[in-house]
Amino acid sequence: MILSNGASLAAIAPILAVMITGMIVLLGDSCLKLWRQAKWVSPTISVLGLVVSAALACSLIGTSGQQLAFSGALTADAFSQACNIILAVIAALAVMGSATYLENRGLQHGEYYVLVLFSTSGAMLMAAASELIVLFVAVEILSVALYVLAGYARTERKSEEAALKYFLLGAFAGGFLLYGIALIYGGSSSIVPGQVGTTNLRALGIYLHQMPAPNQMFIAGTALLMVGLAFKAALVPFHMWTPDVYEGAPTSVTAFMAAAAKVGAFAAILRVFNAFIPISEYWLIIVQVLAVATMFGGNILAVVQDNVKRILAYSSIAHAGYLMVGISALTGSGAATDALKAEAHSAAMGGITFYLLAYGIMTMGAFGVLIWISRRGRDVQTLNDLKGLVKTDPVAAYTMLIFMLSLGGIPPTMGFMGKWFLFYATLQAGQLWLAVTLALASIISIYYYLRVVWVMCFTEPDENAVAPGRAVASGGVVVSLIASAAATLLFGVAPGLLHSLMDAASTVLRP
Amino acid sequence: MVPTSYYMILSGILFTIGVLGVLVKRNPIVIFMCIELMLNAANIAFVALGRHFAQVNGQMYVIFALAVAAAEVSVGLGIIVSIFRTRESINVDEMNLMKF
């Protein structure tokens, strides 16, 4: 259904709500002295804006059909609304956690929240983009704000270094993305009637379905596009920047970056590869190789790390690998009949969406615990800092335990259900070996997640550790932790509560 | 009229020079210039293809890409200046506080 301009604006209301909140916070913080002095105003308004955005997305998720907004440049369908909800939840958790962290580090300024809101809106646009150039602009809206956030602690050398590395590699990836789009624009003329080019994913999906014979320019463009997106999603071998950036950036930024950027990148990857399913014989094997390399690369490199932020960085790489397995399952390559293929497709769509939410919540939670134990003025980063945590701070230790078990995929947590849905979709798609690889890779991951737990629970606290200072107010991060821990357990026990979210994702059809 | 393939070859060469420059150079400003070269290679391709297809899309995409590149420059140069203030050097080989 092609929407008029007014209806288009209504359909992307959740994205607009986030953008407008960002502008309000930006103006309020720079123009009103009282606003600036009361440190709680900016985070509160930001959370309110995100709640409004999530509520709007919830009300729009029921609308069926393709919902082509702005002459097909955006697809405001149920899947994009589902991603809006996931991203608004992640951003709200991040804002609450950040308020505590920034206060603690003396970095509390309003523009932080503006940047978080703007980059959230970029990730939301990535999930809705169906014109490739809109996808490029959305990627950059997300990334440019994140470059600034990574270097937010600008007097710290590590933070600056993280910002520079992220910026250079991110911009490099942006170059690949744009050139890939240019080649697709040129190459598509051989399949589009009238010998003209198009970069509209929906149109490309339809034309590729009618004539699955792309020329070499088109294939080269798809490959470059894949490289650009793989950089953003941190897939092995394009993951080199991830650990350094995650370690150097302030912890609250790392949490947001790990969750929101990954959700945005995967929503975009999903849109692109869903349109390219008719030519899956060209890319399926590459996606599968990337998935296996990413799962094993991330998990094996995580084993040798001593810095919790780096462990979580490599774990985020591994999780990107699991999600790539879901992308591979979209094709249903091993399924016998068309009906089975369609079933595998909708199982994979639902699984990926559930996993994105699960991954976002548990990552925000794990970093949230780090922020919470840093509240006494010591920036907790290494495993050494966590020694004997169960004695010094039992609540934090047990909360961390929940998130570690969930990230490792142990029931009854959301992480387990997410892995189960992906595993099931892969079996439906007839890719048994890939499902087995996924299970094997998760077994490796359990080692390093449990290592964190072991350090917390079974070692003595470090005698030389700095005496804890006065704790700063940590209301924000406590709310965020309670919410994410509750969600991790609740949706782990009763994933059926998210049925409507998964169904919404399944409405994205095979071309 | 110059054939479109000439423009595509030119843009391919520029893109390759850009990629090689990013991999070889050590000064972040020069690396960033090489990244700009990659973006502009894509812009040339867009304009040439847009003319070839007699569509206005190609030229419109370039405007988007230029706007994005401008935003990236402002942020990137800000980061580089901030690093130069604390370190008195911007060689990327010295950005080695965090490894493996």
Side-chain angles (χ1 to χ4, degrees):
Chain A
M1 183 169 68
I2 296 172
L3 303 174
S4 66
N5 279 349
S8 299
L9 284 172
I12 62 159
I15 308 178
L16 291 177
V18 175
M19 287 177 175
I20 291 170
T21 315
M23 288 173 199
I24 291 173
V25 175
L26 181 64
L27 285 177
D29 190 74
S30 47
C31 300
L32 302 173
K33 205 170 173 213
L34 274 175
W35 179 308
R36 214 164 31 243
Q37 280 166 347
K39 303 279 190 195
W40 54 269
V41 179
S42 299
T44 313
I45 304 264
S46 309
V47 171
L48 284 179
L50 289 161
V51 169
V52 168
S53 164
L56 285 170
C58 284
S59 72
L60 288 169
I61 202 168
T63 48
S64 58
Q66 286 279 316
Q67 303 287 327
L68 304 175
F70 303 108
S71 322
L74 293 174
T75 310
D77 59 2
F79 171 69
S80 97
Q81 304 299 0
C83 286
N84 288 346
I85 297 173
I86 295 174
L87 284 162
V89 167
I90 288 172
L93 292 175
V95 165
M96 287 190 282
S98 305
T100 304
Y101 184 81
L102 298 178
E103 192 62 46
N104 205 4
R105 300 278 303 271
L107 294 169
Q108 184 76 284
H109 305 292
E111 64 266 24
Y112 178 94
Y113 303 101
V114 178
L115 290 166
V116 168
L117 289 167
F118 284 163
S119 75
T120 308
S121 72
M124 287 174 165
L125 274 177
M126 279 169 88
S130 62
E131 185 78 43
L132 286 173
I133 200 75
V134 176
L135 176 67
F136 173 74
V137 174
V139 166
E140 296 297 334
I141 295 176
L142 169 77
S143 305
V144 170
L146 283 182
Y147 303 148
V148 184
L149 284 173
Y152 196 73
R154 66 186 168 84
T155 48
E156 275 175 40
R157 289 178 149 220
K158 272 192 173 179
S159 178
E160 279 181 338
E161 192 175 314
L164 185 71
K165 283 178 174 167
Y166 193 28
F167 166 70
L168 287 179
L169 288 172
F172 190 43
F176 279 99
L177 198 64
L178 190 67
Y179 202 67
I181 295 169
L183 291 186
I184 287 178
Y185 178 53
S188 60
S189 63
S190 70
I191 51 165
V192 178
Q195 303 285 303
V196 293
T198 180
T199 52
N200 191 304
L201 280 174
R202 186 169 161 276
L204 283 174
I206 292 169
Y207 295 135
L208 284 172
H209 185 68
Q210 287 163 358
M211 197 195 320
N215 59 14
Q216 279 158 354
M217 197 193 238
F218 192 91
I219 294 171
T222 312
L224 288 179
L225 190 69
M226 202 192 246
V227 170
L229 289 172
F231 255 110
K232 297 287 174 196
L235 304 176
V236 175
F238 308 106
H239 68 289
M240 295 304 193
W241 56 273
T242 318
D244 287 1
V245 174
Y246 282 21
E247 184 189 343
T251 308
S252 59
V253 175
T254 310
F256 175 70
M257 188 164 25
K262 192 127 330 187
V263 173
F266 266 96
I269 288 178
L270 209 149
R271 285 258 184 232
V272 170
F273 285 117
N274 187 53
F276 290 172
I277 282 178
I279 53 165
S280 63
E281 72 261 37
Y282 292 98
W283 57 260
L284 181 60
I285 185 70
I286 302 174
V287 163
Q288 288 173 340
V289 168
L290 280 177
V292 173
T294 310
M295 284 190 290
F296 281 101
N299 280 328
I300 290 170
L301 288 169
V303 167
V304 294
Q305 303 299 326
D306 286 320
N307 184 315
V308 183
K309 278 166 91 175
R310 280 183 97 80
I311 292 181
L312 288 173
Y314 280 110
S315 118
S316 88
I317 296 173
H319 284 276
Y322 307 145
L323 284 159
M324 276 317 262
V325 171
I327 302 285
S328 159
L330 275 183
T331 60
S333 64
T337 62
D338 276 356
L340 286 175
K341 276 189 207 291
E343 211 167 292
H345 181 269
S346 76
M349 288 297 295
I352 291 171
T353 312
F354 187 90
Y355 204 86
L356 285 176
L357 180 63
Y359 168 79
I361 289 178
M362 56 207 187
T363 307
M364 294 309 304
F367 281 110
V369 175
L370 288 187
I371 292 173
W372 195 36
I373 36 191
S374 304
R375 73 185 182 280
R376 292 175 196 279
R378 192 166 55 125
D379 196 24
V380 175
Q381 289 211 354
T382 61
L383 278 178
N384 257 342
D385 297 336
L386 289 181
K387 271 188 179 169
L389 189 69
V390 78
K391 292 192 181 107
T392 53
D393 202 342
V395 182
Y398 289 124
T399 321
M400 191 66 150
L401 176 71
I402 295 176
F403 296 122
M404 286 298 138
L405 293 181
S406 180
L407 283 165
I410 295 167
T413 56
M414 208 176 175
F416 168 74
M417 284 321 297
K419 279 216 183 84
W420 166 248
F421 286 133
L422 285 183
F423 188 81
Y424 175 74
T426 318
L427 287 182
Q428 288 260 308
Q431 297 161 344
L432 179 66
W433 68 274
L434 204 57
V436 173
T437 321
L438 187 150
L440 286 178
S442 343
I443 291 172
I444 303 177
S445 77
I446 290 172
Y447 169 77
Y448 60 84
Y449 292 126
L450 288 187
R451 185 157 157 247
V452 176
V453 174
W454 182 79
V455 168
M456 287 189 309
C457 298
F458 300 111
T459 53
E460 288 302 310
D462 213 343
E463 291 295 324
N464 304 325
V466 194
R470 197 177 58 85
V472 297
S474 50
V477 78
V478 169
V479 174
S480 144
L481 276 178
I482 291 174
S484 31
T488 307
L489 291 176
L490 176 67
F491 297 133
V493 178
L497 295 174
L498 291 175
H499 210 267
S500 53
L501 197 73
M502 292 172 69
D503 282 352
S506 312
T507 55
V508 177
L509 296 175
R510 284 169 66 96
Chain B
M1 199 171 89
V2 184
T4 309
S5 59
Y6 286 26
Y7 289 104
M8 294 309 289
I9 291 165
L10 172 69
S11 87
I13 292 170
L14 287 178
F15 184 76
T16 316
I17 294 175
V19 172
L20 291 177
V22 172
L23 299 176
V24 171
K25 290 295 178 181
R26 285 290 157 261
N27 182 323
I29 296 182
V30 180
I31 294 179
F32 190 60
M33 283 161 67
C34 293
I35 292 172
E36 288 291 307
L37 200 57
M38 291 164 66
L39 293 178
N40 284 327
N43 288 345
I44 289 179
F46 273 129
V47 173
L49 290 166
R51 193 194 61 161
H52 183 76
F53 300 142
Q55 275 180 323
V56 77
N57 300 22
Q59 290 163 41
M60 194 184 71
Y61 295 161
V62 173
I63 306 292
F64 281 101
L66 285 178
V68 164
E72 270 190 344
V73 171
S74 61
V75 167
L77 291 183
I79 292 170
I80 293 171
V81 166
S82 150
I83 287 196
F84 187 74
R85 277 196 190 151
T86 45
R87 297 195 194 208
E88 302 284 309
S89 152
I90 48 169
N91 191 324
V92 286
D93 286 334
E94 290 166 30
M95 306 290 157
N96 53 7
L97 282 176
M98 294 167 288
K99 272 187 197 155
F100 184 55

